[in-house]
Amino acid sequence: MDDLKAKYLGQIADAADEAALEAIRLAAIGKKGEVALKMRELGKMTPEERKVAGPAMNAVKDEITSALAARKAALHDAALDERLRSEWLDVTLPARVRGQGTIHPVSQVTEEVTAIFAEMGFSVAQGPRIDTDWYNFDALNIPAHHPARAEMDTFYMHRDAKDDRPPNVLRTHTSPVQIRSMEKTGAPTRIICPGGVYRADYDQTHTPMFHQVEGLAIDRDISMANLKWVLEEFFAAFFEVDGIKIRFRASHFPFTEPSAEVDIQCSWVDGQLRIGEGDDWMEVLGSGMVHPSVLRAGGIDPDAWQGFAFGMGIDRIAMLKYGIPDLRAFFDSDLRWLRHYGFASLDVPTLRGGLSR
């Protein structure tokens, strides 16, 4: 056994790679290896001979196994050292440039609008995008025959023919949030309601899903004069134009009385729109004093409280500010389009410190 051990320990020490080591293992301690064949001879020995030969054979097998493991580790270390000598990395080189994420214009403008109104004391209220027919229409003084309630304009949720409960709709405006907020907090209140809304329409200036922000302020003696000041302050901050002019045009909305559409001063120069200068006007939102019926629906006494409300499209004012010609581009364009209009991930407004521009 000593000669056998010396033979294989020498071969192991001279092995140049792991393939050679595996061949030695099979020849020595494999099922048909020399050590295994020697151990089979134990059955032919007397008990006294097995007591001497058995431990000696096991010791040789264990020693060969340990030598194989040690040589394998040594070969692995040698290969690693050689690789470290032949391969190198210059850690002083600058890192690879990684692409930056880009905030979507709708998200950016929503944050801008929220930050501006927050400085005027408005908090943000939110509500469900799927709402009842009552919150979306009835509570807002919209009569049953109004065109907005037709299925050609509004997305109604499917229901069983035998279901006699009031229907649910994809909200057509964020006005239901105003009702829910009045029910929850009462008066006085000052909120904006930004969010996604849905209407069955699709062209260059309309999409089936778009974004609105509506405002509501209720107090004892609030008036249209307060509404005009709030809107002037907002547009001056949003478009970054001091002294921007707006005008009210009489209109009709079921949920306000009196009602007014609001136009903003603008001009067209070489086919480009310029906000806050010139003699032209562009309609940007609807507004008015909250209808008494709407106040009652929200649980507020119209004899003691009054308020104003307004609503505008976030996507639309984003188009005006950043010169984006087609509303549909908000939903089917890639990052190259966003970068073309100057939306960078670092150009982000903050609710605490105003706009970081």
Side-chain angles (χ1 to χ4, degrees):
M1 293 302 293
D2 290 339
D3 293 339
L4 196 63
K5 179 177 72 172
K7 170 186 172 182
Y8 284 111
L9 291 181
Q11 291 181 6
I12 292 171
D14 295 335
D17 52 40
E18 292 190 20
L21 278 179
E22 180 63 14
I24 296 170
R25 186 190 70 80
L26 293 174
I29 58 176
K31 289 184 178 181
K32 297 182 180 180
E34 286 191 73
V35 174
L37 293 175
K38 286 286 186 182
M39 296 187 76
R40 290 178 186 175
E41 296 178 0
L42 289 172
K44 301 176 182 179
M45 298 180 183
T46 63
E48 289 76 12
E49 290 174 331
R50 283 199 296 271
K51 288 181 182 180
V52 177
M57 290 182 183
N58 284 328
V60 170
K61 181 179 179 181
D62 291 342
E63 201 166 342
I64 292 174
T65 301
S66 298
L68 286 166
R71 183 57 180 165
K72 184 175 182 180
L75 288 172
H76 181 271
D77 292 341
L80 180 60
D81 290 340
E82 178 59 27
R83 186 177 177 187
L84 291 174
R85 281 193 298 270
S86 60
E87 299 178 9
W88 61 279
L89 174 67
D90 187 353
V91 295
T92 65
L93 290 174
R96 293 185 179 93
V97 177
R98 306 183 76 178
Q100 277 189 332
T102 303
I103 189 170
H104 192 278
V106 170
S107 300
Q108 176 165 315
V109 170
T110 300
E111 287 294 325
E112 292 178 9
V113 170
T114 302
I116 293 169
F117 279 112
E119 292 180 353
M120 291 188 280
F122 286 80
S123 60
V124 175
Q126 295 182 329
R129 294 196 180 201
I130 300 176
D131 216 330
T132 65
D133 185 74
W134 187 84
Y135 276 106
N136 196 77
F137 293 121
D138 295 323
L140 296 166
N141 199 41
I142 299 176
H145 62 271
H146 196 281
R149 303 184 76 149
E151 291 190 357
M152 68 178 68
D153 289 328
T154 298
F155 294 107
Y156 283 85
M157 305 302 292
H158 176 74
R159 58 177 179 159
D160 189 271
K162 298 180 181 179
D163 190 347
D164 58 357
R165 293 175 298 177
N168 287 339
V169 300
L170 292 178
R171 67 183 185 189
T172 59
H173 40 199
T174 57
S175 302
V177 181
Q178 296 184 29
I179 301 296
R180 292 180 178 274
S181 179
M182 285 189 280
E183 289 178 334
K184 183 177 180 180
T185 64
T189 189
R190 196 181 302 182
I191 60 168
I192 59 169
C193 316
V197 297
Y198 306 84
R199 295 179 189 174
D201 208 351
Y202 187 72
D203 57 34
Q204 187 174 0
T205 57
H206 300 86
T207 54
M209 191 277 285
F210 58 102
H211 302 83
Q212 272 191 342
V213 58
E214 297 189 10
L216 172 69
I218 299 175
D219 214 319
R220 296 286 186 184
D221 56 357
I222 208 163
S223 69
M224 291 284 283
N226 302 118
L227 168 63
K228 186 172 185 291
W229 178 86
V230 166
L231 295 179
E232 286 176 339
E233 290 295 305
F234 168 74
F235 286 126
F238 181 73
F239 290 109
E240 301 175 358
V241 177
D242 293 331
I244 193 168
K245 295 180 181 179
I246 65 172
R247 71 177 184 182
F248 285 178
R249 285 184 295 107
S251 186
H252 170 74
F253 304 112
F255 28 80
T256 52
E257 180 60 38
S259 302
E261 290 184 340
V262 179
D263 300 334
I264 193 169
Q265 179 190 17
C266 69
S267 67
W268 292 90
V269 179
D270 297 328
Q272 291 188 340
L273 176 67
R274 295 185 179 180
I275 300 294
E277 61 179 59
D279 299 323
D280 291 331
W281 298 91
M282 175 177 288
E283 184 269 322
V284 287
L285 61 85
S287 66
M289 299 298 293
V290 181
H291 196 287
S293 297
V294 175
L295 291 174
R296 290 191 194 94
I300 294 176
D301 182 2
D303 294 325
W305 302 92
Q306 60 189 33
F308 64 74
F310 59 87
M312 69 187 95
I314 294 175
D315 317 73
R316 179 131 189 268
I317 61 174
M319 293 171 67
L320 296 178
K321 181 171 183 176
Y322 295 104
I324 300 169
D326 193 324
L327 181 62
R328 293 169 293 188
F330 284 121
F331 306 102
D332 57 11
S333 299
D334 59 19
L335 291 178
R336 291 170 296 177
W337 173 84
L338 294 175
R339 296 189 186 105
H340 173 74
Y341 289 103
F343 289 92
S345 59
L346 296 180
D347 192 18
V348 182
T350 168
L351 297 183
R352 296 184 178 180
L355 301 184
S356 58
R357 292 194 174 277

